[in-house]
Amino acid sequence: MAFEKSLTIIFGIVACLLSMALATPGTATFYTSYVPSACYGNKDSGVMIAAASDPLWANGGICGKVFNVTCTGPTNPVPHPCTGQSVVVKIVDHCPGCGGTLDLSREAFAAIANPVAGIIKIEYNQIG
């Protein structure tokens, strides 16, 4: 029984480290008008959502994918914008020509950073 517990703990640690190692760097901005969206039209998808930039859009293939996003630092003079938290968001929209890799809902952005920053450095990875 102790061996199984130890194995479970080791597996958990390896999974966490692997998840961090596979994170992709990028930038995030935020938006405040969520409906209609490119993926779901007039359907309300909640507030923990994001829009994908052109490089991620893949002609809509990213719609519905779920990402874990973490603030890693500032891109401008706002000191220490990160909250130290991560957020899970679902891609519901396209952000053509936007200034970030992901355009987070204001609520998702505020969960990981001070909205005054406007744009932040992030790491993100697909989890679903």
Side-chain angles (χ1 to χ4, degrees):
M1 184 65 113
F3 176 73
E4 289 174 359
K5 231 180 202 179
S6 295
L7 193 57
T8 301
I9 291 170
I10 290 170
F11 178 74
I13 291 170
V14 169
C16 277
L17 292 173
L18 186 58
S19 175
M20 288 188 296
L22 296 176
T24 305
T27 57
T29 52
F30 70 88
Y31 68 114
T32 57
S33 182
Y34 310 143
V35 176
S37 69
C39 298
Y40 300 106
N42 288 317
K43 180 181 176 210
D44 183 0
S45 297
V47 295
M48 290 308 183
I49 55 175
S53 62
D54 290 329
L56 296 176
W57 181 241
N59 207 25
I62 197 166
C63 286
K65 304 292 185 199
V66 179
F67 289 84
N68 186 66
V69 183
T70 305
C71 175
T72 59
T75 61
N76 56 40
V78 174
H80 313 293
C82 303
T83 65
Q85 304 296 310
S86 293
V87 68
V88 174
V89 295
K90 178 180 174 181
I91 302 296
V92 301
D93 212 347
H94 181 208
C95 179
C98 70
T101 308
L102 293 174
D103 198 18
L104 303 172
S105 66
R106 187 178 196 296
E107 293 83 354
F109 190 99
I112 62 169
N114 182 346
V116 172
I119 184 168
I120 55 171
K121 294 177 185 176
I122 59 168
E123 286 187 345
Y124 65 97
N125 61 313
Q126 185 176 335
I127 59 173

